[in-house]
Each structure stands twice: as C-alpha cells, then as structure tokens.
Amino acid sequence: MIDLKEFEVWFVTGSQHLYGEETLKKVAEHSTIIAASLNDAKQIPVRVVFKPTVKSTEEIYSICEQANTTKNCIGIIAWMHTFSPAKMWIGGLKIMQKPLCHLHTQFNRDIPWNDIDMDFMNLNQSAHGDREFGFMVSRMRKNRKVVVGHWQDPEVLEELNTWTRAAAGWNDWQGAKFVRFGDNMRLVAVTDGDKVEAEYKFGYAVNTHGIGDLVQVINQASDAAIDALIEEYERAYTLVPSLQKGGAQYSSLRDAAKIEIGLRTFLEAGNYKGFTDTFEDLHGMTQLPGIAAQRLMASGYGFAGEGDWKTSALVRAMKVMGSGLPGGNSFMEDYTYHFDPANPMVLGSHMLEICPSIADGKPSCQIHPLGIGGKADPVRLVFNSAAGPALNASLIDMGNRFRLLVNEVEAVAPFHDLPKLPVARVLWKPYPDMKTGCAAWILAGGAHHTGYSQNLTATHLQDFADMAGIEFTLIGKNTSLFQFKNELRWNEVYYQINK
C-alpha cells in the first residue's frame, strides 16, 4: 500500500539581512516551532521538514535547486516572516519544479495590544511580506496554492492536508509507467489521446505490450501460488458454491487466480503503477481479468478498461491522494439512468472491474457469463457501494489541452435488490441535480469512464490540476448551466492565448 509518510514537504521561511542577527534568530526560532507543529499535526499525512531561513538570492536559488533534486521532497511551503524583497526570489522560482504552497500566516495569532512596539512590528511583518512574495509569484505566472490563516487553525491544517495529498499524487506521476495491453477499444474516441503530450505534461509514460507478453507470464504461475491465492479469496470473500473446492466451476477460480498472479508479477517486474486492457484483445487468455483487476486496484494500482490509459493513471493518482483516508477510489462508468422525476439517479458500474475499496460489506465472489470478449465466464467480486458524498473525475484530451472535469455526487443506498445484475455497482445523485449535472458533463466532453472517489474532495483535484497546469472544471452544488457554458467558452479562449 501507499505510505505518504515516505514523502516530505519543506518549510521555507523568507527574510533578509536588514533586521540584524537578533531578529533573524527569532525568525528561525519561530519557523522551527511552526514546522515542528505542522509535522506533528495529525491532519497532515506527510513529513514537514524545517529548512534554514533564506535571506539572499543565492540561498533561495540553492534551496529550490535542492528541492528539485531531492526525490522524497514533494513540495515547498513558503512563508515570509518578515519582508523578503521579491527580486531575490526570481532565480529560485524560475527553476523550481516542485509544487508551491504559500502559507500566509504569522507566528502570533493575536495582536499584543498593550505591548506592541516597533521591534515587534519589524519582526512580525507577514501581512505585507507575504504580499511582496505573492506579487512576484503572480508576476511570473507561477501556479501555487495560497492558504491564509493562523498556523494552528484547524481549517488551515485541513487545507494543507488537501494540498500535500495532491502533491503526493502529482509526485507519484513523475517518472511513472503505465502499461496498456493491446490498443484501446476500436473506434472509441474519448479513451484515446496523445501519449507523447501526456508524458510531456504529466511526467508518466504509457507503454504498450501485446497480450502474448502477459500470457507468457500468466502461464508461469505455480500451483502452489494459485493454492495460496485461493485461500486468500476464501478468507476475504463469500464464494458462491460453484467456485468452492469441488464445485463445478472451481477450475475457473483457479484460472482467475492464475491471471491475477501473472498480472501482478508483470506489473512488479516492469515497475508499472497501473494498467489497462481491452476485451477485444484477449488472445491466449482463458477469461477477461475481473477479480484480478479489482484486487490490483485495491492494492493501489491504477486501472481502466478498454485501453483507457488516462483514467488508469488518474485512478492511481486518486489512490495516492486518498491513502489512509476512510473510503476508497475506483475505476467507474456511468452505466444507466433511473429517470423517476421524484428520485432521478445514476447507476454506476462496469462489466467486471470495480474496486472493492468502495464496497459496503463483504464482497461476494461469483462467476457469470459475459456477452462480449468471446472467452470463458469470468470470475468477479459483486457488491454494493456505501452511501455518502463522493465525486466522479474525468481526464480528457481536448486536442489543445487536457481538461480535468469533476462532478460532485451523493451516493445513495440501493432501495431495491438487483438479483440479476452480477456486477459491483453504486447509485448516486449528481449535483446540482440530474438534468444540470448530466448536461454539464456532456457539454464539457466528459468521458464515460471516470475515477470515482469516496474520500477526496473537488479541492484535492483542483490543487492537483493546478500543479499539472491543466484546465479544471467543476460541476457542483452551485453550478448553473448558463454560467458553466460561459466558463467553457472563456476557458477555450484562455487556453488558446496561454499556450
């Protein structure tokens, strides 16, 4: 699983030599206390590392250079305790490649009304020192997160929590590899895209392997490994009788376990962080990977069906961002609608591959025919998903840019059994309402494949999009279709000008 404590953000305080050594000692003392407090805060999932105060062009350039080359540093939190002339920051900001969070705070929460004097004012100048820094970052058109408030404020800690999680997801993409077995589903548009531009923009590579490369590894799985994995299935899930030892379809369960072992071995050997396959390219496989894809997602791998490498990569990033939080993240698809005027809903599912991290209760391990793919009946996990706030996210190649589209939704508990639908599924109500939410999604070119999350918010994805330098569009509780159409038009102009 993904341990975010492997990562660190650097707490960098800006000042200058103008105020003398005593003031600079106080700046360092205060910065050390704040960094230690943030590091100890249970809300922040990564380590926060204090760095010495930067007071010159050379020191600023050096710290930014070090951050770029330190593998486990995923970003910088910058704070100007005193006034830090911003021309000193130009060189460092020009080369800085890690995400930046500007924490607009001050050491003291309250003004000491009876004791405040000019010495206090010279030391505690964040109110205008941060504005000088903010101007330069804006002047250089650098994306960053601005968090305002006292460093002990729970809201500030939650904003830093969100930003650090987004930074972890972004860091995970840098140098990542995703494997596509075969091509994407034939004639489908939205699942395809520019892999060269994606690697340039996002930092991850998509490599294609023929299905025969995978089959060769699958066929090397030993009987002992298959036996051990089936024991794990028996502990974790409720197996239908036909899949139990001695059952009529027990051999199909062994085939499914063999596929999972082969897939996991292939991914580990290639250092891949996710994969995609397609039911149109299964030559040499006995069945489509169902339970294998589900369990690999639950282990933290990205996945999407039908060659959709963009969604596979997005699911992986969402799993990193949500690591350690209650709830899960999964590949998802809007499948069919419930158009009852009094209670309209979307049924989300896929033919096999929904991650059990979003399951409500113990999944059932079942086997059923599949009308596409032309292979043996595949084994899969069947379950309902929990009710509660959630979101769907889609990464779209718009030709001249990538767009990250998010729709906030409210998942609801099923109010009917679905005895003849043998797949994992979730019911949700799109915000702001069914008609507006679906229309806005279609107007924005949103894909039918998404990353579904129970534990991330739109702000996580917005921070992530800012780090990537891509368009972010939100369909939420306050979305107006009139305003949303205008936003899309304005964005089109902006991204034509700001190439």
Side-chain angles (χ1 to χ4, degrees):
M1 296 300 288
I2 302 152
D3 181 11
L4 297 187
K5 283 298 181 184
E6 295 177 359
F7 304 124
E8 59 189 40
V9 295
W10 291 1
F11 189 81
V12 177
T13 305
S15 186
Q16 60 176 318
H17 288 291
L18 178 66
Y19 306 109
E21 285 305 311
E22 286 305 311
T23 296
L24 288 174
K25 284 180 182 178
K26 276 292 183 185
V27 168
E29 177 187 327
H30 290 173
S31 301
T32 303
I33 292 170
I34 294 175
S37 178
L38 296 180
N39 185 59
D40 292 340
K42 66 180 185 301
Q43 296 95 326
I44 299 178
V46 304
R47 300 193 306 274
V48 179
V49 178
F50 165 79
K51 291 293 177 180
T53 309
V54 290
K55 308 170 292 297
S56 67
T57 300
E58 294 75 18
E59 290 176 353
I60 292 167
Y61 188 92
S62 177
I63 198 71
C64 293
E65 189 175 45
Q66 291 172 43
N68 287 343
T69 57
T70 301
K71 187 176 180 180
N72 61 342
C73 173
I74 63 172
I76 286 177
I77 299 174
W79 171 51
M80 306 304 116
H81 192 314
T82 64
F83 198 77
S84 180
K87 284 185 179 180
M88 298 191 304
W89 285 87
I90 294 174
L93 289 172
K94 279 176 68 176
I95 68 164
M96 192 166 71
Q97 299 168 356
K98 298 294 175 77
L100 172 64
C101 176
H102 183 185
L103 179 57
H104 185 40
T105 191
Q106 63 185 28
F107 184 71
N108 57 296
R109 194 194 71 171
D110 303 325
I111 294 174
W113 303 105
N114 293 326
D115 300 320
I116 187 169
D117 55 18
M118 286 310 300
D119 287 339
F120 181 93
M121 296 281 275
N122 280 334
L123 175 61
N124 298 282
Q125 297 187 56
S126 301
H128 74 293
D130 276 330
R131 282 171 166 77
E132 167 75 357
F133 177 72
F135 161 75
M136 185 52 68
V137 185
S138 294
R139 173 68 176 79
M140 295 176 68
R141 274 64 172 182
K142 299 281 287 186
N143 286 340
R144 82 284 204 186
K145 175 79 170 182
V146 178
V147 176
V148 179
H150 192 254
W151 50 277
Q152 293 175 313
D153 186 333
E155 288 187 12
V156 167
L157 295 176
E158 275 305 318
E159 288 186 70
L160 291 174
N161 168 30
T162 298
W163 177 80
T164 55
R165 287 181 175 278
W170 176 246
N171 180 79
D172 187 73
W173 267 10
Q174 307 315 299
K177 295 192 300 179
F178 294 85
V179 60
R180 186 172 66 162
F181 295 110
D183 207 336
N184 70 312
M185 182 179 171
R186 290 185 282 276
L187 303 178
V188 177
V190 76
T191 55
D192 215 338
D194 189 337
K195 297 191 294 295
V196 174
E197 184 64 19
E199 186 163 356
Y200 172 72
K201 196 71 179 173
F202 300 134
Y204 65 75
V206 180
N207 302 315
T208 298
H209 276 269
I211 199 69
D213 294 342
L214 173 60
V215 170
Q216 185 177 23
V217 179
I218 290 172
N219 289 337
Q220 293 171 359
S222 69
D223 287 339
I226 294 170
D227 291 341
L229 186 53
I230 287 178
E231 288 179 8
E232 189 174 330
Y233 291 170
E234 291 169 343
R235 290 193 299 270
Y237 317 116
T238 302
L239 270 64
V240 295
S242 66
L243 291 178
Q244 295 172 11
K245 192 167 293 186
Q249 293 170 297
Y250 178 69
S251 62
S252 294
L253 185 67
R254 294 189 67 83
D255 287 340
K258 187 176 181 180
I259 290 171
E260 179 182 341
I261 292 166
L263 261 170
R264 194 178 295 272
T265 301
F266 194 103
L267 295 173
E268 290 175 353
N271 197 29
Y272 291 109
K273 292 182 175 179
F275 72 104
T276 178
D277 58 21
T278 174
F279 61 88
E280 290 180 326
D281 191 353
L282 295 173
H283 184 70
M285 296 187 68
T286 55
Q287 57 181 267
L288 186 64
I291 190 173
Q294 292 177 293
R295 284 173 48 82
L296 285 163
M297 267 191 287
S299 298
Y301 286 99
F303 173 80
E306 294 133 34
D308 187 355
W309 51 270
K310 296 190 299 298
T311 302
S312 176
L314 180 61
V315 169
R316 165 65 186 192
M318 293 169 71
K319 284 187 171 292
V320 173
M321 286 186 262
S323 180
L325 295 175
N329 293 272
S330 178
F331 168 57
M332 187 59 66
E333 180 170 278
D334 298 62
Y335 230 96
T336 195
Y337 292 143
H338 184 63
F339 267 140
D340 178 358
N343 191 26
M345 290 178 292
V346 178
L347 176 63
S349 184
H350 204 254
M351 53 192 182
L352 295 172
E353 313 98 340
I354 301 298
C355 180
S357 66
I358 68 169
D360 184 18
K362 187 175 184 178
S364 171
C365 184
Q366 302 181 17
I367 182 169
H368 300 274
L370 187 65
I372 58 177
K375 295 292 179 179
D377 300 349
V379 176
R380 82 288 301 271
L381 300 176
V382 178
F383 53 84
N384 291 318
S385 183
L391 60 80
N392 279 302
S394 175
L395 184 62
I396 317 148
D397 186 344
M398 295 298 294
N400 66 335
R401 67 191 185 277
F402 288 98
R403 169 181 287 164
L404 183 57
L405 173 64
V406 170
N407 186 194
E408 296 173 324
V409 305
E410 185 71 24
V412 297
F415 52 93
H416 287 293
D417 291 332
L418 299 166
K420 296 184 179 180
L421 185 65
V423 291
R425 60 265 175 152
V426 55
L427 280 168
W428 68 75
K429 293 174 175 288
Y431 283 116
D433 56 71
M434 184 80 162
K435 290 175 70 69
T436 304
C438 293
W441 188 273
I442 289 171
L443 286 167
H448 55 281
H449 288 168
T450 63
Y452 177 84
S453 179
Q454 296 171 322
N455 55 25
L456 299 179
T457 67
T459 306
H460 288 96
L461 277 301
Q462 183 176 19
D463 286 353
F464 185 81
D466 285 344
M467 292 170 191
I470 63 172
E471 180 186 7
F472 176 82
T473 46
L474 174 65
I475 307 167
K477 295 179 181 179
N478 299 315
T479 294
S480 150
L481 205 55
F482 173 82
Q483 185 70 18
F484 189 78
K485 288 179 181 179
N486 278 334
E487 287 178 14
L488 295 179
R489 295 185 184 110
W490 298 332
N491 288 356
E492 193 67 46
V493 174
Y494 171 82
Y495 282 97
Q496 289 289 349
I497 295 171
N498 192 38
K499 288 184 179 178

